[in-house]
Amino acid sequence: MANTHRTALLGCAVALLGALTACGAGGGGTAAPVSSPTATATARETAPPGSATASATGAAPGDRQPSRSPSGAVPGDTAGSASASGRTDGRCRTADLRASVGRVDAGAGQRNVPVVLTNTSARTCTLYGYPGAAFVDGAGRQLGPDPVRETASPRTVSLAPGRSAWAALSFAAPQVSGARAAEPAALLVTPPDERAALEVPWQGGEVPVGGNESAVSLTVLAPGTGP
């Protein structure tokens, strides 16, 4: 029995020596580790998307987080962008409005014309104070001086979409006053606190542009489209 036991141990030693020799074959290289399916699956589940481990373990491209681009700048105040510009002051911008001229009231040698601003945007906005106004010829050159502002206390006019505000443009009839006259091609109307003007074709005849009694006056804005 002792001899048999020694023979079995010797056989195991020879087998183990052969296995070690086989692992060292090929110039002393070490054997590559064998990954178990369980370890590979665990690496795939725990590796962060987009990492080297995730790529090596076969993570799907859809697992990667999308890159974020820097926040864009707020659009400038170009025409048509007022609603998309992010401002919160509530003021009516030129791009929010349409200008028109009401019926000319020719009474007692005086001409009174309602200058109307209508909110064409989808938001409620406000007007405060006086509009700007200037008569121009067909080439866009101004005719006569700027209107004189009549003394008054301005108030804020809130315009819901589609609503209007108006100011009275007044001047003495040139035929009565004797002032030098010209017939404008258009009236430029600038909303309060704005720089861009709205052009309205002028069909009210001659206006005073120089000499005595050539002053044109303008009132503050009030709700509505005229008296």
Side-chain angles (χ1 to χ4, degrees), residues 21-221:
T21 303
C23 291
T30 58
V34 178
S35 299
S36 68
T38 302
T40 302
T42 302
R44 183 179 293 113
E45 292 172 1
T46 59
S51 67
T53 305
S55 299
T57 57
D63 292 338
R64 298 181 184 138
Q65 293 294 328
S67 60
R68 295 183 181 273
S69 58
S71 299
V74 175
D77 292 327
T78 56
S81 67
S83 297
S85 68
R87 293 182 182 270
T88 58
D89 60 4
R91 192 174 86 224
C92 295
R93 304 285 171 167
T94 301
D96 297 326
L97 302 167
R98 180 184 72 247
S100 59
V101 174
R103 182 177 60 85
V104 177
D105 180 11
Q110 188 79 6
R111 302 291 185 264
N112 302 298
V113 185
V115 177
V116 182
L117 291 171
T118 302
N119 181 7
T120 59
S121 74
R123 69 183 182 99
T124 297
C125 60
T126 60
L127 295 172
Y128 179 86
Y130 300 82
F135 292 110
V136 295
D137 63 14
R141 293 185 294 263
Q142 182 170 340
L143 300 173
D146 292 337
V148 177
R149 293 178 174 180
E150 292 190 2
T151 303
S153 298
R155 59 173 171 153
T156 300
V157 181
S158 180
L159 297 183
R163 306 299 289 180
S164 302
W166 72 286
L169 185 72
S170 302
F171 55 88
Q175 297 83 356
V176 175
S177 68
R180 184 164 53 88
E183 186 165 352
L187 177 69
L188 299 183
V189 181
T190 307
D193 301 314
E194 291 290 289
R195 293 182 180 274
L198 299 164
E199 183 174 324
V200 184
W202 177 257
Q203 298 176 341
E206 291 185 333
V207 300
V209 296
N212 295 332
E213 302 296 331
S214 62
V216 177
S217 65
L218 195 63
T219 66
V220 296
L221 286 160

